[in-house]
Amino acid sequence: MATPPMAPPSMEGTPPPMAVQPPGTDMTGICFKDQLWLNSYPLDRNLVFDYFAISPFYDWTCNNEQLRQRSIHPLDPSHLSKMTGTEYSLNEVMEPHLFVFRKQKRDSPEKVTPMLTYYVLDGTIYQAPQLCNVFAARIGRALYYISKAFTTAASKLEKIGYVDSENEAAAFESKVTKETIDFKEVKRVDHILQSLQRKSLCLCSYRQPHHHRHFQKAMFPLPLQKLRMALKPSKLESPNNLRWILSLIKARLKE
C-alpha cells in the first residue's frame, strides 16, 4: 500500500483526550461529517482513515492508533497481522464516494472476529446496523402492519354483524306485529261470521227447506269453509283481499 502524505500536525500523533470512552456498539442513530476537513484534504484510500479517526466512531485503543503513533500507515496489514486486539480494516473502496471499514478483534494472524461495520458515503460516516437489528426491525414492522390489518378487519366485521343483527331484530319485530294484527282481524271476522251463521239459522227455521237452501246461497255466495280459508294469515297479507271480505260482510248485514 502506498505511503500516504503526512497529515497536519494537529491530527498526526495527537493523543486521545483524557477520559475518552470507547464508542458504543449501537451508534446507528448518529452520523459524522467534517466539511472543513473535506475542503482541505482529498478523500481517498490513503487519507480516509485519518478522516475516520476524528469521528466519534473511532476507538482510540485500537491497534491502528498504535501504528499511527509510530508513523506507520494505520491500515498496513503486515503490521496489523502481528498484533492482537481491536483493529480496523478497509474492506471496500469506491473512490471518492464509498469506503467501508470493519471493526474486528484479532486473536492471531489467522483468527479474526468481526465486530462492527462503518461506511463513509460522500464524506458522511455512518455505522451500519447489525443483521439481528435489521431482522428485528423488519419483523417488528411486518407484525405492526399484520396487527393493524387484523384490527381493521375485526372492526369491519363487528359493524357488519351489528347491522345484520339490527336488521334481523327489526324484521322479527315487524313479523310479530304483522302476525298479531292479522290474528286480530281473523278473530274479528270469525266472530262476525259466527253471528251471521246464527242469524241465518234463526231465519231459516221459519222458512221451507227449499227456501232455506235459496237463502243460504244468497246469503253466502261462497261456502263458509272456503271463506275461512281465505281469511288465513297468509291470505290476509294483501290489503285488497281483506277489504273485499269486509265490504262483502257489511253489504250482507245491511240486507
Side-chain angles (χ1 to χ4, degrees):
M1 182 179 296
T3 303
M6 296 299 293
S10 60
M11 296 175 52
E12 183 68 25
T14 303
M18 296 300 294
V20 171
Q21 299 295 329
T25 57
D26 187 7
M27 300 177 68
T28 55
I30 65 172
C31 62
F32 175 82
K33 185 175 184 179
D34 190 340
Q35 191 62 46
L36 182 61
W37 194 100
L38 295 173
N39 294 336
S40 303
Y41 304 98
L43 193 61
D44 55 18
R45 67 175 62 237
N46 295 322
L47 290 177
V48 67
F49 189 84
D50 294 329
Y51 180 59
F52 179 77
I54 64 175
S55 70
F57 304 104
Y58 185 65
D59 188 355
W60 288 88
T61 62
C62 64
N63 297 334
N64 308 84
E65 183 62 25
Q66 297 180 24
L67 296 179
R68 291 181 70 199
Q69 293 177 4
R70 292 157 53 185
S71 299
I72 301 174
H73 194 277
L75 297 176
D76 190 349
S78 62
H79 289 82
L80 290 174
S81 61
K82 299 176 183 179
M83 305 172 72
T84 58
T86 304
E87 65 181 33
Y88 293 94
S89 64
L90 186 61
N91 289 3
E92 300 290 339
V93 176
M94 294 179 60
E95 292 181 342
H97 302 291
L98 179 64
F99 304 88
V100 179
F101 287 97
R102 185 175 67 181
K103 184 178 182 179
Q104 56 193 13
K105 181 180 180 182
R106 182 177 293 274
D107 298 322
S108 66
E110 295 80 16
K111 185 179 181 181
V112 176
T113 304
M115 299 172 62
L116 296 171
T117 302
Y118 305 89
Y119 59 96
V120 184
L121 180 63
D122 293 330
T124 305
I125 305 176
Y126 305 89
Q127 177 184 338
Q130 299 185 27
L131 189 60
C132 60
N133 295 335
V134 174
F135 284 158
R138 297 292 177 85
I139 293 174
R141 181 176 296 181
L143 291 176
Y144 167 76
Y145 285 114
I146 292 173
S147 176
K148 186 177 180 180
F150 275 112
T151 303
T152 304
S155 63
K156 291 185 179 297
L157 290 175
E158 184 178 357
K159 291 180 180 178
I160 293 174
Y162 179 74
V163 171
D164 290 342
S165 62
E166 279 190 346
N167 293 337
E168 291 178 359
F172 179 76
E173 290 178 359
S174 62
K175 183 178 180 181
V176 170
T177 305
K178 186 175 182 180
E179 289 181 354
T180 304
I181 295 174
D182 290 343
F183 280 120
K184 288 182 179 179
E185 293 293 335
V186 169
K187 290 180 179 179
R188 189 170 67 87
V189 173
D190 192 49
H191 179 71
I192 294 172
L193 291 176
Q194 291 178 359
S195 300
L196 290 174
Q197 188 177 11
R198 289 194 298 269
K199 184 177 180 180
S200 64
L201 291 176
C202 293
L203 292 174
C204 290
S205 61
Y206 296 99
R207 296 175 179 268
Q208 297 298 326
H210 65 277
H211 291 155
H212 170 71
R213 288 193 299 270
H214 176 73
F215 174 79
Q216 187 177 10
K217 290 181 180 180
M219 188 67 184
F220 300 101
L222 293 175
L224 184 60
Q225 195 67 20
K226 290 184 178 181
L227 189 57
R228 287 183 175 179
M229 290 292 293
L231 295 175
K232 285 187 174 181
S234 60
K235 301 295 183 179
L236 289 175
E237 292 180 356
S238 175
N240 295 329
N241 190 16
L242 183 60
R243 292 193 192 99
W244 176 79
I245 295 172
L246 292 176
S247 62
L248 178 63
I249 294 172
K250 290 179 180 179
R252 293 301 180 183
L253 288 174
K254 291 179 179 179
E255 294 177 357

